[in-house]
Amino acid sequence: MAKTTHIAVISIPAFSHQASIIEFCKRLIDLHHHIHVTCIVPTIDTPLPTTLTLLKSLPSNIHHTFLPPINKQDLPQEAPSAVQIQLAVSQSMPSLRIALESLLSTTLLHALIVDPFANEALEIAKEFNLLSYIYFPPSAMTLSLFLHLPVLHQQVSCEYKDHKQAIQIPGCVPIQGQDLPQHLQDRSSLAYKLILDRCKRLSLANGFLVNSFTKIEEDSQRALEKHNNKVYLIGPVIQTGPSEESKGLECVRWLENQRPKSVLYVSFGSGGTLSQQQLNELAFGLELSGEKFLWVLKAPSASSDGAYVGAYNDDPLQFLPHGFLERTKGNSFVVTSWAPQAQILSHISTGGFLTHCGWNSALESIVLGVPMIAWPLFAEQKMNAILLSEGLKVALRPKFNENGIVEREEIAKVIKGVMFGEEGNEIRARIEKLKDAAADAFKEDGSSIVALHQFVTQMENFM
């Protein structure tokens, strides 16, 4: 009988990251029953309700503990959500050290697995002589950028958006500087400094667990393995969630009454928000397309990631164009809170996905074989959109006008293109092949299963 192996994981106060690392832990212990996990969760003000729901479904050998909350009022109010989250995590490091000391007093802890935006914990792991790994929720392409950023910072002296030549990230398709992550676009900003510091700290990790799989990022994987041979592509790890929770939802019942592949699912993820002007154009574009849609609607915000740390009490429906719901009645279903994304994407009635290109959402769409409209908002989403539309060719991208707005006619055009056009049919054929490849990755000898076994073997060989 295998001896128990204890590991601790630390995430950040953003649901998409928390959901991903928790699903990874569930998959890990499903394969290796002797592993026990303690999830350490930093918080801002209070734990996220969606996180509390997710934690209730954990198996018995995954435990969790919340670090003392950071007061949101103690964070710079004008800072972007990503900066607030990173500063909150930094302020939580003394509490993490205490939590680890407490854990080590009762448990033979073998390793610490940390989110890339909580990687100050790598230094604490060294203090306690623990193995440490980065669990990387985004793509292998983004990890390659993060590892390359200190070099890129030296090579390029101007703002990246002003750099004339395409930027070559090792193992990735060349991209323009303006398509690098949002918070790299102002090199004098605190956001850039925080990310650069975290990228420099990645070398402290003993290895990297990446939420991707070989078939979609083979070139990036090869480049990463040249940098560090302990890189494990262990995805696609997606959130399936408790299905009982969504059975009686009205939006699911509405889907049951629609024709196969006839509904466009529209969601900008747990953090994404649009301006009022863009929300109006999207509404009119959906209406103009004449296609059926299920829209997860959030109140507008001046910040594209405004829903991450801000809770909006306003009813989102009041921000829709006058008469929109009446005019689209029968063709539409608008959800103003949480929606069971995996269940919606897997439903036979769903034929397309208008997405912000968060990596979790992109992987869910690939795993479930749903063609995409790629509409990136923030973080590394433009890079994901390039990979999806130009690299894998499983998404269409709408064009933004000179004011950074996607106009209603363009929206209607890409909706029709992905739902019924010839290009949409080609995308559907390609994503079906990737769906099969994603399933193959988790067969007994699949690439991701092999990678998970290699990770556990190499970790335990260090013990």
Side-chain angles (χ1 to χ4, degrees):
M1 184 175 176
K3 291 172 64 177
T4 300
T5 297
H6 292 268
I7 62 175
V9 303
I10 180 165
S11 188
I12 61 174
F15 178 70
S16 58
H17 283 238
Q18 293 171 349
S20 185
I21 202 167
I22 288 169
E23 291 297 329
F24 160 73
C25 292
K26 287 162 68 175
R27 179 155 283 166
L28 181 65
I29 65 165
D30 191 48
L31 279 175
H32 297 274
H33 304 306
H34 67 289
I35 291 179
H36 285 229
V37 179
T38 298
C39 296
I40 301 173
V41 188
T43 58
I44 298 174
D45 285 348
T46 57
L48 299 167
T50 44
T51 301
L52 292 172
T53 300
L54 188 60
L55 292 172
K56 286 177 185 174
S57 67
L58 293 182
S60 59
N61 48 347
I62 299 181
H63 304 277
H64 69 273
T65 181
F66 288 105
L67 296 180
I70 301 302
N71 190 331
K72 189 174 187 296
Q73 295 304 313
D74 294 337
L75 302 171
Q77 299 303 295
E78 73 288 350
S81 298
V83 169
Q84 292 184 3
I85 287 169
Q86 290 181 72
L87 292 175
V89 171
S90 295
Q91 292 180 30
S92 296
M93 285 298 128
S95 298
L96 172 65
R97 183 179 279 105
I98 292 169
L100 285 175
E101 285 175 344
S102 175
L103 199 56
L104 284 162
S105 69
T106 58
T107 304
L108 180 60
L109 193 62
H110 298 103
L112 184 65
I113 300 176
V114 308
D115 187 279
F117 294 108
N119 71 15
E120 289 149 298
L122 296 173
E123 296 170 341
I124 298 174
K126 296 296 180 190
E127 291 176 27
F128 290 123
N129 293 316
L130 292 171
L131 287 172
S132 60
Y133 297 86
I134 295 287
Y135 175 76
F136 203 77
S139 66
M141 180 181 185
T142 305
L143 176 56
S144 189
L145 167 66
F146 277 25
L147 290 168
H148 185 59
L149 186 63
V151 174
L152 192 62
H153 178 74
Q154 297 297 326
Q155 289 176 340
V156 177
S157 57
C158 62
E159 295 291 356
Y160 297 117
K161 64 179 180 292
D162 299 325
H163 190 58
K164 301 302 182 188
Q165 293 80 33
I167 290 173
Q168 183 63 65
I169 302 166
C172 307
V173 295
I175 66 170
Q176 299 303 314
Q178 64 189 15
D179 289 326
L180 288 176
Q182 169 193 7
H183 299 302
L184 301 187
Q185 295 301 338
D186 179 0
R187 289 162 63 113
S188 65
S189 68
L190 176 59
Y192 184 82
K193 180 183 182 301
L194 289 172
I195 290 178
L196 184 62
D197 286 348
R198 278 155 178 73
C199 290
K200 290 176 179 177
R201 205 180 286 119
L202 291 173
S203 60
L204 296 175
N206 294 101
F208 300 88
L209 298 146
V210 187
N211 187 14
S212 189
F213 61 107
T214 298
K215 185 67 176 178
I216 60 171
E217 295 203 272
E218 196 164 5
D219 291 342
S220 296
Q221 181 179 13
R222 278 197 292 265
L224 288 169
E225 287 172 345
K226 284 182 182 177
H227 184 277
N228 184 320
N229 62 4
K230 294 182 179 62
V231 175
Y232 310 94
L233 267 62
I234 46 75
V237 176
I238 64 171
Q239 188 195 359
T240 52
S243 57
E244 291 299 316
E245 185 179 68
S246 53
K247 277 185 178 174
L249 289 179
E250 196 177 348
C251 63
V252 176
R253 294 201 302 270
W254 180 81
L255 274 178
E256 297 290 345
N257 295 318
Q258 310 309 317
R259 290 180 291 104
K261 309 293 184 189
S262 66
V263 176
L264 176 72
Y265 174 55
V266 182
S267 174
F268 292 94
S270 56
T273 46
L274 303 175
S275 67
Q276 180 66 72
Q277 183 184 2
Q278 185 61 87
L279 190 151
N280 288 343
E281 288 299 311
L282 176 54
F284 286 127
L286 289 165
E287 182 180 349
L288 186 61
S289 76
E291 304 303 334
K292 297 197 171 187
F293 60 90
L294 195 166
W295 184 4
V296 183
L297 177 69
K298 291 189 178 72
S301 168
S303 171
S304 60
D305 60 350
Y308 257 127
V309 295
Y312 292 91
N313 297 319
D314 294 330
D315 177 8
L317 295 177
Q318 69 178 298
F319 299 100
L320 289 171
H322 179 70
F324 172 78
L325 291 175
E326 291 77 16
R327 292 192 303 272
T328 59
K329 191 174 182 180
N331 259 14
S332 68
F333 196 98
V334 179
V335 182
T336 59
S337 56
W338 174 84
Q341 180 158 295
Q343 187 171 355
I344 290 169
L345 289 174
S346 64
H347 200 283
I348 191 172
S349 296
T350 303
F353 182 17
L354 194 160
T355 173
H356 66 312
C357 301
W359 192 240
N360 285 348
S361 291
L363 286 178
E364 286 176 350
S365 211
I366 288 170
V367 168
L368 298 168
V370 181
M372 285 171 270
I373 296 171
W375 188 322
L377 293 180
F378 58 92
E380 86 293 357
Q381 292 163 13
K382 285 185 179 179
M383 288 176 54
N384 294 343
I386 290 169
L387 176 61
L388 295 168
S389 61
E390 298 177 22
L392 300 174
K393 294 182 169 55
V394 293
L396 296 182
R397 283 190 77 177
K399 293 181 175 63
F400 288 74
N401 68 15
E402 64 276 6
N403 298 316
I405 296 293
V406 186
E407 297 174 346
R408 63 193 71 177
E409 294 83 6
E410 175 69 8
I411 293 167
K413 176 184 167 185
V414 292
I415 290 173
K416 286 183 173 296
V418 83
M419 296 297 286
F420 296 109
E422 183 178 339
E423 197 172 7
N425 291 334
E426 292 171 357
I427 286 173
R428 189 164 282 104
R430 282 191 287 268
I431 206 164
E432 279 294 329
K433 289 181 180 178
L434 292 184
K435 175 182 178 180
D436 292 340
D440 288 344
F442 283 106
K443 289 182 177 175
E444 189 174 346
D445 58 349
S447 61
S448 295
I449 293 296
V450 169
L452 275 168
H453 287 315
Q454 288 174 342
F455 159 65
V456 171
T457 299
Q458 293 187 5
M459 175 183 65
E460 292 180 342
N461 282 344
F462 275 105
M463 287 156 44

